[in-house]
Amino acid sequence: MVPGQSTDADVRELRSALPTTLTLAPPAGPARVAKQLDPESRRLADELAAVVHSRLLAGNAIGAVAFVVMLLVALSVPAGRAEHLSLILYAGLAGIFAVLTGLLARDRNMSLSRLRMIEVTALTAYAAHCAWKDFEHYSRFWGTLPEADQWLVVSHSCLNWVFMVFIYGILIPNDWRRSLRVLTGMALIPLIVYAASYFSLPPAHRQRDPLFEMFAMARVMGAAVAIAVFGAHKFTTLRQQASEARHLGNYRIKRRLSTGGMGEVYLAEHRLLNRPYAIKLIRPEMAVNPTNRRRFEREIQAMARLTHFNTVEIVDYGHAPDGAFYYVMEYIEGLNLGEFVQRFGPLEPGRTVYLLRQLCAALGEAHAAGLIHRDIKPGNLMLTEQAGLFDVLKVLDFGLVQQVGPADGDDKLTQSGLVMGTPGYMSPEQATGVAGTRSDIFSLGAVGYFLLSGHAPFGGRGLQQIVTSLTEEPTPLIDLRKEIPADLAAVIHRCLRRNPDQRFTDIEQVSRALGECTCALAWNSRQAAGWWQSAGDT
C-alpha cells in the first residue's frame, strides 16, 4: 500500500468513529456563575443550618405528639367524636408533623433552603389550625354570649397568636428582615380571620363596632411582632458573637485540653479539612505588647523548622480577635508520660531507655537549630501510636523555647533572666534565669528519674523543689528500685548534676550513653505493640 493512500477498511473505521447525531453547542454568551460564599459566610450558614435543624426536629416532634394526644382526647368523649372536621384536622396535622419529623431525622445534613421549606410548611399547618379554631369560636360564641363578654373570645385569639409570634421569634434563628416578614404575615392572620368571621355571620350576630376590636388586635399584634423581631435580632447577634469566639481563623474550637502558665491548649477542627488540631492560645496579657508579639512570631517560625518525627508539628499561627496569640499543632492522641505513670506505674528500664532516646533525637534537632526547650517534663511528652509504630514519643509545647545566640532585634526569643519552666524538672541554673542546652539535659534526666521511680527527683512542691535542687542530690535510683541497672542509673544521675559542667556535653552524648546501657535492647516497638494489646484486654 502506498503511504498516504486510504483503504476501504480505513474509511469504514473512520465512519464508525463519527457521531451519528448532531449536537448543537449552547449559544455563546456570558456563563452563569454559581453564587459562592466566602469561608466565614459558609461557616455561619453551616452553623445556622445545624441550629435550625435541631429546633425544627424538636418542634415538629412535639407537634406530632400534641396533635395525636388531641385526637385521642377528642375520640374519648361523645362530643369530640361528633366533631368530624376537627378529627380530620387533628389527624391531618399529626400526619404532617410526623412526616416532617421523619424527613428531618433521616437527613441530618439537610440544606438550609430545604430546612426553610419545612419550616414554612410546619408554620403554615399550625397557623391554619389556629385560624380554623378562631373562626369556629367566633361562629359559635358571637351572638350567644353577652355583648360585654364577647371581647373574651377576641382576647383568647390574640393570646394564642402572640404566643406563636414570641415562640417563633425566639426559637427559630433568623435575621431581623426575615423575622419581620414572617411575623408580619403571621400577625395579619388573626385580623383576616376576624374580618372573615364578621362578614360571614348573620347581621344579628355581628359586633356593633368591629373596627375598635380590630384596632385593638392590630395594636397588640404589632407590639408582639416588634418585640419578637428585636429579640430575634439580639439572639442572632449573640449567636454570631459566640460563634466567632469559638473560631480562630479556619479552626473551630471544640474543647479545652489543658491549662498552663503561658496559656491554654484547645482541641480544634479545621473547618475545611475536617481534621483535628491542637491550638495553644497564649494569654492576651502576654501577647498584647508588640515586642512580645514579634518574639512569639519568631519563636513559632523557628519551631516550625523542626521536622523530626518525635517533635510535634507546627502548622499555623495567628492572632485572636482579643489580641491573644495562638499557634496550631498536630493533635496527638494518647497519654502523656505523667498520666501513663499514674495509671500503670513506673516503667521497665528498657522501656525508659527506648523513650528517652526518642526524646534525645527530638532535642538533638532542636539544639542543632539553636533552640532550647526549657520545659521538658512528663506532661509535655506524649506517648502515642503513629504509622503503625507503638510507644512513639512526641515532644509537645515548645512554648518556653529559647534561641541560643543573637537574633534579629532582641537578643533572645524568650528573654533570659526570666524564671520559666516547671519546678521539679528545671535545672538549678534555669531557676536563676539562665538556661542552655545542658538545662534540657537536666530536665531529661529528671524525666528519666520520674519514669523509673514514679516521682520527681526532688521532694516538695513548687519553690521547695527548686530550693532542694540547688542544695541536695536526689535519692539514688537503686535505693528506690533494686532492679534498675547501675549503668542506667549512672546516666540519669549524671544528667541531674547541679553543676552544668559535670553533666553530659551535649544531647548526642546522652543518647550514646543510653544506647550503651545493658537494657537498651530490651524494648522496641514490636514489644510495645504487644504490651498495649494486653493492656487493652485487661
Side-chain angles (χ1 to χ4, degrees), residues 357-416:
R357 295 197 71 188
Q358 294 182 65
L359 175 56
C360 288
L363 290 178
E365 183 197 29
H367 291 177
L371 299 176
I372 309 168
H373 190 287
R374 297 207 307 170
D375 198 25
I376 296 296
K377 61 180 179 180
N380 282 339
L381 303 173
M382 185 71 72
L383 204 57
T384 187
E385 180 267 331
Q386 191 169 357
L389 301 176
F390 289 82
D391 270 10
V392 174
L393 187 76
K394 287 282 188 175
V395 182
L396 310 180
D397 198 359
F398 276 74
L400 300 183
V401 68
Q402 175 179 313
Q403 183 167 333
V404 180
D408 295 336
D410 298 317
D411 289 339
K412 298 286 188 298
L413 289 177
T414 304
Q415 293 174 332
S416 60

Side-chain angles (χ1 to χ4, degrees), residues 134-146:
D134 284 352
F135 185 82
E136 187 179 50
H137 289 162
Y138 290 147
S139 302
R140 177 179 300 176
F141 295 112
W142 274 359
T144 61
L145 290 175

